[in-house]
Amino acid sequence: MVTIPVFESLPSWPPTIDPLLWGGFLLVIAAVGCEWAGRQGQLPRITVYTLLGMAAGALGILGPSDQILVSWRVFIDIALGLLLFRLGGSLRLKWLLDNKWLAVASLMDSAVTAIAIFFVLIVLGVRVEPAALIAAVMMSTSPAIAVSLVMEKRSRGQVSERLLMISFINSSLAILFTRFWLGVEHLSQASHTLETLLHAIYLLSGSILLGYCAGRALSFLERKIVSAGDDVVLLLGMALVIVYSAKALHLSSLFAFVVAGLCTQTLQANSSRRGEVDLLRMFQIVLFILIGASTNWSGLASGSALLIGVALIGTRLLCKMGVSTLLAYPSGLSIQQGIGLGLALLPMAEVPLLLIQDASAFLPQTGMKACFGAFIAVATFELLGPKVALLGLSKAGEIFSDMDLSSEKGSDLR
Amino acid sequence: MTTLPLFIPSEPLTMGVELELQLVNTHDYDLVPQAEDLLRRLEGKQRAWEVKPEITSSMIEISTSIHNNFETLAAELREMQQAMVEAANFLNIGIAGGGAHPFQQWSDRRIFDAPRFLYLHELYGYLAKQFTIFGQHVHIGCVDGDVALSLLHSLSAYVPHFIALSASSPFVQGEDTGFQSARLNSVFAFPLSGRAPFATTWDEFQVYFDKMIATGVVESMKDFYWDIRPKPEYGTIELRVCDTPLSIERAAALAVYLQSIARYLLVEQPFQPEEDDYLVYTFNRFQACRFGLEGIVVNPRSKEKRRLGDEILDTLNKIERHAVELKAEAGLKHIHDIVIQGNDATWARKCVQEEGLSMCALMRESAKLWMEP
């Protein structure tokens, strides 16, 4: 038999496709899709990315959807981290002291939501441990969606500022309570109580220290050495350092990024901030496609999970809207702004998914039904939340679309 | 047809000050449209002083009550400042002085929802949003309209003084304009800006006003954007050329400098105003805007050219005894210090050029000067 060597250099059929190829196609479709959605459907960009991700997840082109949060975790951590860094840079924590009612509203937003969800789940027959975990994660407002919407629409005002602050607080509390939940689960299974407690202290303080060092270094380098234009490269480099340092040291990169943002004095003029915005936009696409692709639809097949999902949606909606509206006036908002804030606080996406993923090893099989219900609620708030949040910001008068002067009657002064 | 309001007599040489202030956020220090939120927070907290909105929502105007001297004026300004700072901190807003925001984009501005401002936006187009500039207006009480007009024309010679002393707007849209006060370039774009017509009695002015009303070009005195303008309802003349200073003390000092010059003019009557005095008005005004205290101004009568800073020092000597009568010495000392040490525009340039601060950092420092005096 004669073999013809040249055919050995040709690819096999079907060719082996690296998932990154599909990633490239997804980015192209994301760019085109946004333009179409913006013109036709008035959808926020992140909803387009999420829908794209959900389609990709359903088709399995980025790998099995239940493995997305594991196999693409580094990309997710960098993307989310950069958005949290931006969030940290937008916060003035002293505001919580200057406006104590804001601090009360922020804590009540988390507490009321978590307690209400916990009791609803108990009434629906969910065990205490998974109920506590789900209640903790569902108090969060997606900081990634909050930052993305404020950036995309350039919304400015009290509701936008409070959206960023409250999403930071309720997401931080969700992370802390989940770590505490994990710690309790460790305690119940491990024999070294002291080790477990020390680990929790190590995790928190180490993450804060990592973020502080990264933030101060970034601030110093931007101010003294790096010129405008290269600061974006510096930011990306620092993001990789934070993610991989946190991984090596078993710390929380999410906390570290927020702390780095808080510490950074990146007071750059508009021109260099545009570079940062472009970088963030790119990673925003990556994040929401991956989060969309990881959506778990198995709960839809279960009536009880569906019931739990609907109950969680209703409870969270009532709690977020109720607290914001009731505490609007004492905290310095009008009622309209309070309602707008309640709507703006509804989106939920990456935080509960990542936290449940991290806690999944400790969830009993019987808790998974409740988690499928939670996934339904998360998917709903992920898809519909951004549009509703934009409605809230718009009703509060914080998204401004310029009106061209309709009158050319310059000579008529009456 | 609208008629010129009657000039209501007021106590001579009393003062009132209006300051237009910038509202900024506390992370990148860009302007924020939160005047309505701040006004809501300040409801019921105002006393003799007032807080009002301005044409765009990133501006707020504070107005003092009527004062005779530097001390009570400065005290009320400090009281207003404290109330404003408390409200601003509650809402996470920064407040700053300065004649113009160094990097804001006019197209980002939002017109405050009030009939007058919406009308101005409709009429003037983008100029209305570009009018997001921040000035200090000082009212001086006059006994009647004739005295008011005579004083107005006499004070015109001193307009460059106030421009140079108060100048605090060297940067626009992130760039150094080369001007000490770029703010006044925005004012000059309006068709009814510049100087008042040379009417020396209230009756003459009435004739002029009636003609302007008949043409349909104006509806009221508010439509004139002159550098000094009569305010008949208050019984004052209003100097409108100052940039908002970065500190309360400077605002009070500028007011008593004007008060002292007014007394000097009324008591000593060193010259009678003539229309030819305005031959050099626009030139001198430009020199002050562009070069500040280093500007060269021309005396229209002696034709002498002089450095503006020296002219101010000379004026301080001439008005010294009037300042003593008005208990304005502390204010005039502050004016003297500005001439020697430099104005707020010089400070801003030093921050950027010598200390390497970014525009955002400059605004942060400006806000600190106002909020943490």
Side-chain angles (χ1 to χ4, degrees), chain B residues 124-241:
Chain B
Y124 289 117
Y126 90 108
L127 288 182
K129 290 191 178 181
Q130 263 215 336
F131 213 54
T132 303
I133 48 175
F134 308 87
Q136 173 177 351
H137 303 162
V138 185
H139 290 259
I140 296 289
C142 298
V143 70
D144 61 42
D146 291 350
V147 169
L149 287 168
S150 173
L151 189 58
L152 183 156
H153 294 302
S154 303
L155 279 171
S156 292
Y158 298 91
V159 159
H161 292 213
F162 290 92
I163 294 174
L165 288 167
S166 68
S168 59
S169 51
F171 303 110
V172 169
Q173 291 185 183
E175 300 290 340
D176 192 330
T177 62
F179 278 69
Q180 293 260 306
S181 171
R183 165 181 160 266
L184 285 170
N185 294 329
S186 293
V187 179
F188 240 16
F190 283 74
L192 296 167
S193 60
R195 53 111 170 165
F198 193 73
T200 54
T201 66
W202 197 249
D203 287 339
E204 271 179 49
F205 187 71
Q206 172 85 64
V207 171
Y208 165 83
F209 184 83
D210 288 343
K211 283 182 189 172
M212 292 297 285
I213 292 287
T215 61
V217 171
V218 300
E219 273 189 5
S220 72
M221 284 296 299
K222 275 187 180 178
D223 294 327
F224 296 114
Y225 291 89
W226 299 326
D227 293 342
I228 312 179
R229 183 174 74 183
K231 183 83 173 171
E233 306 94 319
Y234 290 179
T236 65
I237 53 162
E238 182 188 7
L239 177 79
R240 299 160 52 82
V241 297

Side-chain angles (χ1 to χ4, degrees), chain B residues 7-37:
Chain B
F7 193 95
I8 311 285
S10 67
E11 193 184 329
L13 300 174
T14 48
M15 300 176 287
V17 169
E18 293 159 0
L19 291 175
E20 293 164 344
L21 298 166
Q22 307 189 40
L23 303 180
V24 294
N25 70 47
T26 57
H27 34 100
D28 64 8
Y29 291 89
D30 199 354
L31 290 174
V32 281
Q34 296 200 45
E36 199 172 326
D37 299 310

Side-chain angles (χ1 to χ4, degrees), chain B residues 222-279:
Chain B
K222 275 187 180 178
D223 294 327
F224 296 114
Y225 291 89
W226 299 326
D227 293 342
I228 312 179
R229 183 174 74 183
K231 183 83 173 171
E233 306 94 319
Y234 290 179
T236 65
I237 53 162
E238 182 188 7
L239 177 79
R240 299 160 52 82
V241 297
C242 296
D243 285 358
T244 299
L246 294 177
S247 67
I248 288 289
E249 282 66 35
R250 188 153 296 187
L254 287 163
V256 298
Y257 183 52
L258 179 66
Q259 187 197 35
S260 304
I261 292 174
R263 191 179 195 276
Y264 160 70
L265 292 169
L266 289 172
V267 170
E268 293 189 30
Q269 299 193 4
F271 60 89
Q272 287 304 312
E274 297 170 0
E275 183 142 28
D276 279 0
D277 292 340
Y278 285 110
L279 288 172

Side-chain angles (χ1 to χ4, degrees), chain A residues 147-393:
Chain A
V147 171
S148 299
L149 288 178
V150 169
M151 259 173 38
E152 178 184 338
K153 295 298 179 183
R154 302 184 68 212
S155 68
R156 303 237 177 208
Q158 284 296 300
V159 174
S160 306
E161 298 279 321
R162 287 163 197 240
L163 168 60
L164 295 176
M165 178 65 82
I166 296 175
S167 69
F168 162 69
I169 289 174
N170 63 28
S171 297
S172 301
L173 287 173
I175 295 170
L176 278 172
F177 275 119
T178 306
R179 293 290 168 193
F180 176 73
W181 184 93
L182 277 168
V184 168
E185 291 301 309
H186 266 294
L187 271 176
S188 67
Q189 293 179 23
S191 56
H192 300 285
T193 307
L194 182 62
E195 184 187 328
T196 307
L197 289 172
L198 284 174
H199 176 258
I201 295 170
Y202 164 77
L203 178 76
L204 193 57
S205 52
S207 306
I208 291 172
L209 185 62
L210 172 63
Y212 178 80
C213 294
R216 299 305 294 177
L218 191 66
S219 184
F220 173 79
L221 290 170
E222 273 183 337
R223 209 170 45 240
K224 299 285 186 193
I225 297 170
V226 176
S227 55
D230 292 330
D231 49 358
V232 172
V233 177
L234 178 65
L235 180 61
L236 185 56
M238 197 59 76
L240 286 167
V241 167
I242 290 175
V243 166
Y244 282 101
S245 300
K247 205 169 165 190
L249 298 171
H250 293 201
L251 299 173
S252 166
S253 64
L254 300 185
F255 263 138
F257 272 108
V258 173
V259 171
L262 283 167
C263 296
T264 302
Q265 294 170 33
T266 49
L267 299 178
Q268 299 296 319
N270 280 349
S271 55
S272 52
R273 266 198 290 120
R274 240 173 254 132
E276 182 192 334
V277 168
D278 290 338
L279 180 72
L280 285 171
R281 184 161 288 160
M282 191 176 75
F283 278 97
Q284 182 191 63
I285 298 173
V286 168
L287 175 68
F288 286 104
I289 285 177
L290 290 174
I291 293 294
S294 70
T295 304
N296 188 323
W297 299 104
S298 6
L300 288 175
S302 157
S304 53
L306 203 55
L307 175 65
I308 289 172
V310 170
L312 291 177
I313 291 166
T315 306
R316 190 168 180 276
L317 184 82
L318 278 171
C319 292
K320 295 279 180 193
M321 294 294 303
V323 170
S324 294
T325 310
L326 279 171
L327 293 178
Y329 183 71
S331 67
L333 295 178
S334 66
I335 294 297
Q336 187 170 352
Q337 285 175 314
I339 293 170
L341 179 60
L343 291 172
L345 287 170
L346 288 177
M348 194 167 55
E350 70 290 350
V351 171
L353 291 177
L354 290 172
L355 292 178
I356 292 177
Q357 166 68 30
D358 289 347
S360 57
F362 293 93
L363 276 170
Q365 197 56 36
T366 48
M368 289 314 295
K369 177 185 70 174
C371 286
F372 291 142
F375 291 147
I376 292 171
V378 171
T380 305
F381 284 115
E382 189 184 334
L383 263 181
L384 302 179
K387 185 74 178 166
V388 171
L390 282 185
L391 180 68
L393 290 170

Side-chain angles (χ1 to χ4, degrees), chain B residues 298-315:
Chain B
V298 180
N299 185 309
R301 301 189 188 199
S302 67
K303 316 293 187 270
E304 188 192 350
K305 290 183 184 172
R306 233 178 145 192
R307 179 182 165 268
L308 192 43
D310 295 333
E311 182 77 8
I312 294 171
L313 290 174
D314 194 38
T315 302

